[in-house]
Amino acid sequence: MPFDNLRHRVKTILANNSESPQQRMTEVCELLQTSLGYYDWVGFYFANEADRTLHLEAFAGEPTDHTVIPFGKGICGQVALSNKNFVVADVKAQSNYIACSIYVKAEIVVPLFKDGKNIGQIDVDSHIEDPFSIEDERFLEWVNERVAEIL
Ligand code: SME
């Protein structure tokens, strides 16, 4: 089970107080994107409540044009409003979806809570169809809990 080893490495990255939270989140994205073959793009978006938009703060994988996403738009924007995990086995089946790359077949977005408030999310894109399980959900929830501790 690769997640147990990754948990240990995520903790080590996040404990490095000499780096900014954004640097540490970027390293977490890089760790996940390089360690899990079906994690092709990994990013953290954070909410601007006044503007009702999400802003990309850290990522690993191909750069995306979608660095700002309005609440309600795409999978990410829907999670900003629902406060719930959104697992998309096949992005072609989604009408409210923002395509970042023609290669993406599946996506998982898990909200990040700080003091009970949905302040952002982790977003993972995959080039493989239907790759995400409940284990990915539990792992990404755990990652977000650990990230919330340094914010
Ligand atoms: N596909 C996302 C947009 C972000 S990219 O995956 C990086 C969505 O529909 O919200």
Side-chain angles (χ1 to χ4, degrees):
M1 170 52 65
F3 292 127
D4 288 337
N5 177 40
L6 286 175
R7 279 184 168 88
H8 181 72
R9 295 170 70 186
V10 167
K11 271 191 197 169
T12 304
I13 289 169
L14 293 176
N16 182 2
N17 293 325
S18 68
E19 292 185 346
S20 69
Q22 189 174 22
Q23 283 174 307
R24 285 178 267 172
M25 286 190 287
T26 300
E27 286 174 26
V28 169
C29 292
E30 288 166 351
L31 173 69
L32 272 47
Q33 195 252 351
T34 55
S35 303
L36 296 162
Y38 58 105
Y39 280 35
D40 289 290
W41 188 94
V42 182
F44 286 98
Y45 286 91
F46 286 92
N48 179 320
E49 291 290 338
D51 285 354
R52 297 181 65 75
T53 49
L54 292 162
H55 295 254
L56 185 63
E57 300 284 343
F59 74 96
E62 288 297 307
T64 174
D65 290 339
H66 302 287
T67 56
V68 181
I69 297 176
F71 285 11
K73 300 281 185 195
I75 308 305
C76 296
Q78 292 176 77
V79 169
L81 299 176
S82 72
N83 308 323
K84 291 193 166 63
N85 297 351
F86 199 153
V87 183
V88 180
D90 174 10
V91 297
K92 290 194 300 298
Q94 294 292 322
S95 52
N96 188 359
Y97 169 71
I98 301 166
C100 280
S101 148
I102 55 165
Y103 301 111
V104 175
K105 293 204 168 80
E107 177 161 8
I108 181 170
V109 179
V110 173
L112 190 157
F113 299 97
K114 175 82 180 169
D115 301 327
K117 190 172 161 44
N118 178 0
I119 62 163
Q121 52 193 241
I122 191 166
D123 176 16
V124 181
D125 287 344
S126 183
H127 298 175
I128 294 169
E129 203 166 305
D130 196 10
F132 301 114
S133 72
I134 194 73
E135 300 298 323
D136 295 278
E137 289 191 65
R138 294 293 96 85
F139 174 64
L140 295 172
E141 288 165 359
W142 180 91
V143 169
N144 282 352
E145 286 166 18
R146 298 291 78 74
V147 169
E149 289 169 354
I150 67 159
L151 298 177

